Structures are given as structure tokens and as C-alpha cells.
Amino acid sequence: MDPKLLEKLEEEMKTIHLKMGEIQGIMLPESTIDIWEKICNFQAREDDILIATYPKAGTTWMQEIVDLIMLNGDVEKSMRAPCFIKVPFIDLNAKPMVSGVDAADVMESPRLIKTHFPIQLMPPSFWEKNVKVIYVARNAKDCMVSYFYFQRMNKGLPDPGTWNEYFSAFTAGNVPWGSWFDHVIGWWKAKDEHQILYVFYEDMIEDPRREIRKISKFLGKELTEEVLDIIQHHTSFNAMKENPMTNFSVLPSFVFDQSVSSFIRKGKVGDWKNHFLVTQNTLFDEVYKKRMEGSGLNFRTEL
Ligand code: A3P
């Protein structure tokens, strides 16, 4: 990265990024809210592919899988740039870098686009253009743990405080991008009206090959067994942890401090058991039951 740009970025990180505001009751970075009109007016294209997730659900993993499907398993091409450059994040406005919407605007089709917005905050052009969406959902308990570590290492987000404090904040939906419950339910309901493939992180861990096949079918791509082998291997946890294009090691530590926690951290189903106290688990299960009742959604918290 250009040293001057880095210097400016470091200065911005200290001031703007940490500030959070709200849009329709959803906590978002103030820098995102600053360009809200521009985000709402974002022009999707018919051949875009949108990867939508609640933070920490496996976004980066899905990005890499879809990129490789579109490239028919060409690993060299998939290494053309870091994942956050290849796939613009339309929610992000991290000055002095170009915003996600500006980066997407100048990108050639077919574009892969990332968002963490809950369904009600989506720019309408995605629905007008009938864009294909892959939504990745991950069980709430593992999401909470992963987000806790992420908020500690991502210097653009507020410090999460103690685990106890974070448990309460997450359960109440007082975290960036809002409530996990509303997010997963909102996108689940939307799949009946739009072209949305709803994928579970736990299914991807259980049988990545099956899920890659499902995704490629949704995208209208036929993959040979050989290409499937390549994609499965290149998007495995260990391969992505070692790959500088996917492990965020190209970002300076004043953005992502990986000495606090790695971006590609554990990649497990059930890590919550190492963090939830028995009392927290009981409390969370009660809230969960109330919030998820009648949603038709079933998550696995262990395999
Ligand atoms: P953990 O913190 O539980 O390890 P996102 O990309 O949405 O921010 O999600 C990050 C989470 O996905 C992290 O979870 C990360 O380790 C996990 N992850 C990333 N790549 C993965 C892969 N190839 N296989 C399994 N998990 C992966």
C-alpha cells in the first residue's frame, strides 16, 4: 500500500471509523451513514452476484468459493487481488480508501458484491435487477464468539468490552449491523420473493463439496469433479489461513490487529462451548426460543 495513503488511513482510524450511528435503529459506522443516500441509490446489474451475511457467518469463505466457481477453478486468477478488493463491500466507507459503492461502480461485470445489511436496508436496485443472492447464515452462538474476537482485532469497530458485556450487547442486538435474530429471519423470509440461496455455515463445514455443488448449480455453472477438487482444496480452512489474499495479512495492524486474534481464527462449529457460561447458555436459549419461534429456521450449534 502507498505509504501516504497508509498514513492518512491511520489518522482516519483514530477519528472517524470508531463512531457509530443508526439507520432505522440498526447500528452502523457513521462513515457509512455519511454516504447513505449514495448507498441507497447504488445501481446493481443483472449479472451481479451478491453475498449477504450477518458479520462472521463465513462471508470471506463464500466469496472465495464463488470467485473460484466463476473462474472455473483457476486458482492463479483467484489470487489476482486480496478478497476485500475483488469483492466490494457496499456498506463500507473507510476513508481515504474508495467506498464500496464507488469501487463497485467502476468494476467490470460480472461483479461479486458483499453486504452485511439486514434485508430492509438493501438498495432497491438489487430487487429491480433480480440479482442472485447467496446468503450465508451461521448459528448465533458461534457468530457471537467470532464477532467478539473480531471486534477486538478490527480497529474500525468499537471495542467489545468483556465477554460478559458483549454477551448482553449481542443478545440485545446492540452491535454493528444490528440483531442477529432479525437479520437471519429477514433474509429467510425474503427468499420466497427473490432469487436467494440460503446456505448454512454448519452445512459447509459438514460437507463443503456438497455445498459448493449446490452453489454452482444455483449460479448455473457445471463443474467437473477435478474443478470441484481444486475449489474444495483452495477454500479449505488451512489453505485460506495461509493465503495472503484471504487472510487479511496485507492490512496493517492499525486496521486488523492479528496479534489480538487472527481473521481466519478457528473455523469450527461449537467453539461457543469454550466461552458461554452455563447461566449465559440458559439465558440465551430462552431468548432464542422466543425470538425464533415460528420462523421455520433451524440452526445446528454442534455437528
Ligand atoms: P471463527 O472466528 O469462528 O474462526 P466472515 O468472513 O463472515 O467475517 O467470517 C469469519 C469466520 O469464518 C471466522 O470464524 C473464520 O475463521 C471462518 N472462516 C473463514 N474461512 C473459513 C474456511 N475456509 N473454513 C471454515 N471457516 C472459515
Side-chain angles (χ1 to χ4, degrees):
M1 264 169 121
D2 171 6
K4 275 212 176 113
L5 197 67
L6 272 180
E7 217 173 274
K8 270 194 187 161
L9 182 61
E10 189 164 15
E11 208 36 54
E12 286 282 335
M13 293 294 294
K14 284 186 201 142
T15 54
I16 290 178
H17 290 187
L18 278 172
K19 292 190 190 140
M20 294 283 141
E22 272 188 13
I23 293 271
Q24 294 176 34
I26 307 292
M27 188 195 294
L28 290 172
E30 246 178 34
S31 53
T32 300
I33 297 168
D34 287 346
I35 58 160
W36 191 246
E37 210 179 309
K38 195 169 171 172
I39 292 175
C40 293
N41 291 323
F42 175 70
Q43 288 308 303
R45 302 176 196 155
E46 272 167 23
D47 56 358
D48 285 340
I49 300 165
L50 178 72
I51 296 173
T53 57
Y54 187 77
K56 311 322 288 174
T59 330
T60 317
W61 189 11
M62 184 56 79
Q63 283 176 207
E64 224 29 41
I65 290 173
V66 175
D67 188 41
L68 274 161
I69 291 175
M70 299 312 285
L71 295 169
N72 201 32
D74 188 333
V75 169
E76 210 179 299
K77 275 199 190 142
S78 86
M79 304 271 289
R80 67 196 178 281
C83 51
F84 56 90
I85 302 286
K86 289 192 297 190
V87 184
F89 179 25
I90 56 164
D91 319 17
L92 195 69
N93 180 31
K95 283 187 240 160
M97 321 296 283
V98 292
S99 66
V101 277
D102 282 343
D105 275 344
V106 295
M107 197 165 250
E108 273 179 28
S109 291
R111 303 178 296 188
L112 254 183
I113 294 173
K114 159 184 167 181
T115 188
H116 287 323
F117 287 141
I119 188 88
Q120 70 275 21
L121 297 188
M122 282 302 292
S125 69
F126 282 97
W127 313 131
E128 287 153 18
K129 293 282 159 46
N130 197 23
V131 169
K132 280 188 180 168
V133 182
I134 300 170
Y135 184 84
V136 191
R138 185 181 192 182
N139 81 75
K141 292 177 182 177
D142 282 328
C143 246
M144 189 192 302
V145 171
S146 183
Y147 210 175
F148 173 67
Y149 283 101
F150 186 61
Q151 282 200 227
R152 288 179 68 183
M153 65 82 87
N154 181 346
K155 301 302 168 194
L157 292 178
D159 185 277
T162 63
W163 165 249
N164 247 331
E165 287 164 348
Y166 196 70
F167 173 85
S168 304
F170 184 100
T171 306
N174 293 330
V175 290
W177 283 273
S179 152
W180 176 92
F181 299 101
D182 295 340
H183 208 284
V184 295
I185 293 174
W187 280 94
W188 178 253
K189 283 187 182 153
K191 78 179 180 7
D192 301 331
E193 285 167 44
H194 305 291
Q195 294 199 82
I196 300 173
L197 180 71
Y198 204 99
V199 180
F200 293 92
Y201 179 89
E202 293 73 25
D203 290 349
M204 290 168 70
I205 292 280
E206 182 181 62
D207 191 344
R209 200 178 183 86
R210 177 189 65 205
E211 297 307 303
I212 296 168
R213 246 199 217 109
K214 201 191 281 175
I215 298 156
S216 61
K217 196 168 164 225
F218 175 70
L219 297 174
K221 298 272 174 197
E222 279 277 340
L223 303 179
T224 62
E225 293 302 308
E226 199 188 349
V227 169
L228 266 169
D229 280 342
I230 295 170
I231 299 180
Q232 189 177 342
H233 172 76
H234 193 70
T235 60
S236 68
F237 181 83
N238 289 338
M240 283 186 57
K241 196 170 174 64
E242 293 307 314
N243 181 352
M245 297 297 129
T246 54
N247 66 15
F248 287 84
S249 58
V250 295
L251 285 184
S253 60
F254 62 78
V255 180
F256 280 6
D257 188 349
Q258 303 218 35
S259 69
V260 171
S261 176
S262 302
F263 181 85
I264 311 271
R265 195 183 58 93
K266 278 202 177 169
K268 295 262 184 273
V269 179
D271 187 35
W272 63 271
K273 291 178 189 167
N274 299 316
H275 297 80
F276 275 57
L277 301 173
V278 174
T279 46
Q280 287 175 331
N281 197 35
T282 309
L283 180 68
F284 192 80
D285 285 348
E286 274 170 27
V287 174
Y288 188 91
K289 201 168 162 230
K290 276 193 202 125
R291 297 295 307 267
M292 299 300 282
E293 203 146 43
S295 69
L297 259 169
N298 288 307
F299 282 91
R300 291 187 286 172
T301 53
E302 55 194 326
L303 290 180

